[in-house]
Short mmCIF file of all heavy atoms in Angstrom, two decimals:
data_model
loop_
_atom_site.label_atom_id
_atom_site.label_comp_id
_atom_site.label_asym_id
_atom_site.label_seq_id
_atom_site.Cartn_x
_atom_site.Cartn_y
_atom_site.Cartn_z
N SER G 1526 39.20 45.34 -85.79
CA SER G 1526 39.62 45.45 -87.18
C SER G 1526 38.73 44.59 -88.08
O SER G 1526 38.03 43.69 -87.60
CB SER G 1526 41.07 45.00 -87.32
OG SER G 1526 41.18 43.61 -87.01
N PRO G 1527 38.76 44.84 -89.39
CA PRO G 1527 38.00 44.00 -90.32
C PRO G 1527 38.37 42.52 -90.23
O PRO G 1527 37.52 41.66 -90.35
CB PRO G 1527 38.36 44.58 -91.70
CG PRO G 1527 38.72 46.01 -91.42
CD PRO G 1527 39.39 45.99 -90.08
N LEU G 1528 39.66 42.23 -90.01
CA LEU G 1528 40.07 40.83 -89.91
C LEU G 1528 39.45 40.18 -88.67
O LEU G 1528 38.96 39.05 -88.74
CB LEU G 1528 41.60 40.73 -89.84
CG LEU G 1528 42.15 39.31 -89.95
CD1 LEU G 1528 41.99 38.78 -91.37
CD2 LEU G 1528 43.62 39.27 -89.52
N ALA G 1529 39.47 40.90 -87.55
CA ALA G 1529 38.88 40.35 -86.32
C ALA G 1529 37.39 40.11 -86.49
O ALA G 1529 36.84 39.14 -85.96
CB ALA G 1529 39.15 41.30 -85.15
N GLU G 1530 36.71 40.99 -87.22
CA GLU G 1530 35.27 40.84 -87.43
C GLU G 1530 34.95 39.58 -88.23
O GLU G 1530 33.86 39.03 -88.10
CB GLU G 1530 34.72 42.07 -88.16
CG GLU G 1530 34.73 43.34 -87.32
CD GLU G 1530 33.81 43.26 -86.14
OE1 GLU G 1530 32.73 42.64 -86.27
OE2 GLU G 1530 34.16 43.78 -85.06
N LEU G 1531 35.89 39.13 -89.05
CA LEU G 1531 35.67 37.92 -89.86
C LEU G 1531 35.89 36.64 -89.08
O LEU G 1531 35.53 35.56 -89.55
CB LEU G 1531 36.64 37.92 -91.06
CG LEU G 1531 36.35 38.90 -92.20
CD1 LEU G 1531 37.55 38.92 -93.14
CD2 LEU G 1531 35.09 38.50 -92.94
N ALA G 1532 36.50 36.75 -87.90
CA ALA G 1532 36.96 35.56 -87.19
C ALA G 1532 35.91 35.00 -86.24
O ALA G 1532 35.25 35.74 -85.51
CB ALA G 1532 38.23 35.88 -86.42
N ASP G 1533 35.81 33.68 -86.23
CA ASP G 1533 35.01 33.01 -85.21
C ASP G 1533 35.74 33.04 -83.88
O ASP G 1533 35.11 33.09 -82.82
CB ASP G 1533 34.75 31.56 -85.62
CG ASP G 1533 33.96 31.44 -86.91
OD1 ASP G 1533 32.95 32.16 -87.04
OD2 ASP G 1533 34.35 30.65 -87.80
N LEU G 1534 37.06 33.02 -83.93
CA LEU G 1534 37.88 33.06 -82.73
C LEU G 1534 39.03 34.05 -82.93
O LEU G 1534 39.65 34.08 -83.99
CB LEU G 1534 38.46 31.68 -82.42
CG LEU G 1534 37.45 30.61 -81.98
CD1 LEU G 1534 38.09 29.23 -82.02
CD2 LEU G 1534 36.93 30.91 -80.58
N LEU G 1535 39.28 34.86 -81.91
CA LEU G 1535 40.31 35.89 -82.00
C LEU G 1535 41.44 35.59 -81.03
O LEU G 1535 41.21 35.30 -79.85
CB LEU G 1535 39.71 37.26 -81.66
CG LEU G 1535 40.68 38.44 -81.52
CD1 LEU G 1535 41.38 38.72 -82.84
CD2 LEU G 1535 39.95 39.68 -81.02
N ILE G 1536 42.67 35.66 -81.54
CA ILE G 1536 43.87 35.57 -80.70
C ILE G 1536 44.55 36.93 -80.79
O ILE G 1536 45.06 37.31 -81.84
CB ILE G 1536 44.82 34.45 -81.16
CG1 ILE G 1536 44.09 33.10 -81.12
CG2 ILE G 1536 46.07 34.41 -80.28
CD1 ILE G 1536 44.89 31.95 -81.65
N ARG G 1537 44.52 37.68 -79.71
CA ARG G 1537 44.94 39.07 -79.76
C ARG G 1537 46.36 39.28 -79.25
O ARG G 1537 46.78 38.63 -78.28
CB ARG G 1537 43.98 39.92 -78.91
CG ARG G 1537 44.14 41.40 -79.19
CD ARG G 1537 43.12 42.22 -78.44
NE ARG G 1537 43.39 43.62 -78.67
CZ ARG G 1537 42.97 44.59 -77.86
NH1 ARG G 1537 42.25 44.28 -76.80
NH2 ARG G 1537 43.26 45.84 -78.12
N THR G 1538 47.10 40.16 -79.89
CA THR G 1538 48.46 40.50 -79.49
C THR G 1538 48.54 41.97 -79.12
O THR G 1538 47.61 42.74 -79.38
CB THR G 1538 49.46 40.20 -80.62
OG1 THR G 1538 49.09 40.94 -81.79
CG2 THR G 1538 49.46 38.71 -80.95
N ALA G 1539 49.65 42.38 -78.52
CA ALA G 1539 49.80 43.76 -78.07
C ALA G 1539 49.92 44.72 -79.25
O ALA G 1539 50.64 44.45 -80.20
CB ALA G 1539 51.03 43.88 -77.17
#
Side-chain angles (χ1 to χ4, degrees):
S1526 65
L1528 189 72
E1530 291 295 323
L1531 287 170
D1533 298 314
L1534 292 167
L1535 172 64
I1536 301 176
R1537 194 175 175 202
T1538 58

